[in-house]
Amino acid sequence: MQISERIRALGDRAERDMTDIFNDIDRIARINTEHVLDCFRAAEVSESLFAPSTGYGYGDRGRDVIDALAAKIFRGDTGFMRPQLISGTHTITVALFGLLRPGDVMLSLTGIPYDTLLAVIGITGEPGDGSLKDFGVDFDPIPLTDAGEMDYCGLRAKLEAYGSRVKVVHIQRSKGYADRPTLTVAQIRESAGNVRKIAAELGIPAPYVVVDNCYGEFVETEEPLGGETGVDILMGSLIKNPGGGMADIGGYIVGTPRAIELCGYRLTCPGVGLDAGASLGQNRNLLRGLFYAPHTVAQAMKTAHLTAYVFDALGFKVSPAWDKRRSDIIQAVECATGEGLCAFCQGIQAASPIDSHVIPEPYDMPGYPDPVIMAAGAFVGGASIELSADGPMRAPYTAFLQGGLTYESARLGILSAADRISRE
Ligand SMILES: *Cc1c(COP(=O)(O)O)cnc(C)c1O
């Protein structure tokens, strides 16, 4: 692999300086692994659950146990984790259409949500596409404050203005591709409690608090649900953290009973709900993925810290800083120039297990204003729990990096990217 001695030495120095951080990541992985294993034992997971079902999938015990396991692991009352959820965006769409009805209002406490949700809500796309807006659901985002915190005065004003029309309050944990800090579990719990409290003070029914947990799972020892936190729905994608790099497809939605029932009716149909749905041989992958997830997320976390350290040392602006605590696995690096961003992504690609011979180049993607460059040499198509990086070709040429199935392989990707960019 093309990595200079100087960059290799920088990698070694980074690891020496981050011993305490890496030890803490291992501690979190140990706690989360014990929790997952406790849930497996309580659910009596056994080999017979791997048996595939077809057709309606009636009586698929593996599917039912995985649903219950997902709920338990993420500390919801109930929930489901299914291969019929084809992506994170689809999962969130199922939840929103499950809960919202014509005339309802959806608020967001974290401003404009993740790019792919804009067409779902009806901010982009054509009238008649079938967005929430087409169905008479109004969306009103409450931007984060300048300090990157949720704006409770803004929330109170909107709840007062819309009253009982507000059915959903949406919270996105990860910054996604926005320039803001990721929310911690404690912040999300506090905000959900505040939604309930303000609604009670105003004498209106408590809206469903819905949390997009993408990229956040197993990063901390707690998740936003659990006890009386006030969160109704927690959801995410299985080709990110909770699939552990093992799931080929899928998503999960867990939370409170009525909210989950409604999401189940939207996943299949009213009346059928969660009682049908063939697992098509995916049960084993989903269970193995949950088992691996706390460990895999730890690999990705170490990779993110290493990236921050190495590129900071090379003079690039990084976010978060290498010594900062995190609540998701995303690392941003400002590459300063288009050539730098390309070199970064090409270095990552060159150290990937799949398609390492391919040289990524910027291209026009539907829905994006600028060409985008992506590095992804993954076993599962588009899986971003595997080492991956991408960024739009515009100033400040920020690369967003995430994932890493094994720290040993991902660190080579980072050092390879550092080598290329320092030759620019
Ligand atoms: C990835 C992501 C999504 C969408 O998931 P896809 O699987 O890419 O459709 C939604 N929200 C956040 C915060 C994400 O990171």
Side-chain angles (χ1 to χ4, degrees), residues 40-70:
F40 269 57
R41 188 176 339 98
E44 301 188 351
V45 173
S46 65
E47 195 183 348
S48 63
L49 303 182
F50 302 161
S53 64
T54 54
Y56 297 124
Y58 289 142
D60 184 325
R61 227 174 62 74
R63 176 198 66 212
D64 293 342
V65 168
I66 290 168
D67 284 352
L69 202 52

Side-chain angles (χ1 to χ4, degrees), residues 86-92 113-117 170 172-177 180 212-215 236-240 250 330 382 384:
I86 65 120
S87 68
T89 307
H90 181 219
T91 302
I92 297 164
Y114 193 78
D115 288 17
T116 55
L117 292 167
H170 186 261
Q172 183 180 306
R173 175 170 174 179
S174 166
K175 64 174 170 288
Y177 297 140
R180 60 124 160 139
D212 173 356
N213 205 29
C214 278
Y215 286 133
S237 160
L238 298 192
I239 63 170
K240 296 179 179 172
I330 299 178
S384 46

Side-chain angles (χ1 to χ4, degrees), residues 32-224:
N32 286 333
T33 297
E34 184 169 349
H35 173 57
V36 167
L37 280 178
D38 281 343
C39 294
F40 269 57
R41 188 176 339 98
E44 301 188 351
V45 173
S46 65
E47 195 183 348
S48 63
L49 303 182
F50 302 161
S53 64
T54 54
Y56 297 124
Y58 289 142
D60 184 325
R61 227 174 62 74
R63 176 198 66 212
D64 293 342
V65 168
I66 290 168
D67 284 352
L69 202 52
K72 193 131 196 212
I73 287 172
F74 292 114
R75 298 178 166 90
D77 299 324
T78 178
F80 56 97
M81 175 173 270
R82 305 256 178 133
Q84 282 80 15
L85 293 166
I86 65 120
S87 68
T89 307
H90 181 219
T91 302
I92 297 164
T93 301
V94 164
L96 295 179
F97 275 89
L99 299 176
L100 288 157
R101 299 291 177 271
D104 286 348
V105 171
M106 168 183 175
L107 299 179
S108 161
L109 259 175
T110 43
I112 298 285
Y114 193 78
D115 288 17
T116 55
L117 292 167
L118 301 183
V120 175
I121 292 167
I123 299 170
T124 61
E126 301 298 322
D129 283 354
S131 66
L132 287 167
K133 190 176 176 187
D134 272 348
F135 284 94
V137 173
D138 288 331
F139 174 70
D140 202 347
I142 304 165
L144 293 172
T145 64
D146 291 340
E149 283 166 1
M150 287 174 278
D151 173 6
Y152 300 125
C153 293
L155 172 68
R156 181 182 288 274
K158 302 269 187 205
L159 285 173
E160 228 163 0
Y162 292 113
S164 56
R165 282 184 66 207
V166 179
K167 182 73 72 63
V168 162
V169 176
H170 186 261
I171 297 172
Q172 183 180 306
R173 175 170 174 179
S174 166
K175 64 174 170 288
Y177 297 140
D179 183 19
R180 60 124 160 139
T182 285
L183 302 178
T184 63
V185 166
Q187 281 175 305
I188 295 172
R189 288 183 164 190
E190 183 194 270
S191 66
N194 276 340
V195 171
R196 286 212 173 163
K197 199 171 118 242
I198 296 170
E201 283 166 14
L202 296 173
I204 58 173
Y208 292 114
V209 175
V210 166
V211 178
D212 173 356
N213 205 29
C214 278
Y215 286 133
E217 298 91 351
F218 301 113
V219 170
E220 301 184 40
T221 55
E222 301 281 344
E223 298 288 342

